Amino acid sequence: FDADLGQAARVRAVALALYRELAPDDDEGARELGWAAELHEIGLAISHHDHHRHSAYLVGHLDAPAFSQTEQRKLAAIVLGQRGGLRKLEAQLTDKRFVQQVLALRLAVIKCHARTAVDARALRLAADGRQRLRLSFANEWAALHPRTLYLLQEEAQAWERSGVMKLVLDSSDWH
């Protein structure tokens, strides 16, 4: 599919770093998220417009001998959730692991939007109550990345609109 392997690796590293902060002992969930991150852009081979939908379709329908159809559908749903509204995932958003995987992938895609080297540890994610997560980053980092900060603010609004959880953005002076 001529995917950008460097971008896939960057998104994977950031997504896994964020996911591990929420679910440090969930190796299976991390493995699924890693595969989804590696495959998240294969739909670009079809079209740039709505590539996340094309990627999800391909992941869900390819002949992948090592995966069951159930596993492929789960990966396809994670890939579909990488961008856009959350309503399309409404049925799956009752599964805590799925929510954490999709959130980690969405945040990683945002963080890596410039398609250049990134610090996978510049963002930190932590539970802050039952339906509340806190995304922390340094003031200095935010000042250097205004477009990313804007996209993160939009992401927090999307999660709040979904009613699934509240994503709180917290800039501070940590490094």
Side-chain angles (χ1 to χ4, degrees):
F1 296 101
D2 199 30
D4 182 341
L5 299 179
Q7 179 68 358
R10 286 186 291 273
V11 169
R12 183 181 194 280
V14 173
L16 288 176
L18 293 168
Y19 185 74
R20 287 291 188 196
E21 291 178 352
L22 296 177
D25 299 322
D26 185 8
D27 293 336
E28 181 181 345
R31 188 170 39 254
E32 291 171 348
L33 177 58
W35 291 329
E38 290 170 351
L39 298 169
H40 83 282
E41 286 191 329
I42 63 172
L44 287 171
I46 296 171
S47 173
H48 184 76
H49 178 71
D50 283 342
H51 80 271
H52 62 292
R53 293 183 186 277
H54 299 300
S55 295
Y57 180 84
L58 290 170
V59 169
H61 292 87
L62 287 172
D63 184 17
F67 296 90
S68 70
Q69 288 182 344
T70 301
E71 289 170 323
Q72 282 186 243
R73 280 192 298 271
K74 172 102 186 266
L75 289 176
I78 297 168
V79 168
L80 178 62
Q82 72 179 280
R83 63 186 299 177
L86 293 165
R87 191 174 311 193
K88 64 187 173 260
L89 303 170
E90 203 166 29
Q92 295 101 321
L93 292 177
T94 58
D95 178 345
K96 181 180 177 182
R97 175 193 277 173
F98 181 80
V99 168
Q100 292 172 338
Q101 289 169 318
V102 168
L103 175 64
L105 181 58
R106 289 171 71 94
L107 293 173
V109 167
I110 289 169
K111 174 107 173 43
C112 299
H113 74 92
R115 306 184 80 80
T116 58
V118 296
D119 176 3
R121 304 301 300 166
L123 302 177
R124 295 184 185 159
L125 190 58
D128 187 19
R130 284 196 71 202
Q131 291 184 300
R132 195 171 136 131
L133 295 175
R134 181 171 304 281
L135 183 67
S136 302
F137 45 87
N139 283 328
E140 180 180 295
W141 179 87
L144 292 172
H145 301 91
R147 173 74 177 145
T148 305
L149 181 59
Y150 173 78
L151 294 172
L152 291 173
Q153 290 166 342
E154 285 190 329
E155 184 66 12
Q157 292 170 2
W159 282 101
E160 188 153 2
R161 279 191 308 273
S162 77
V164 173
M165 70 164 165
K166 182 170 180 145
L167 178 63
V168 177
L169 303 182
D170 177 24
S171 64
S172 62
D173 289 322
W174 64 269
H175 300 286

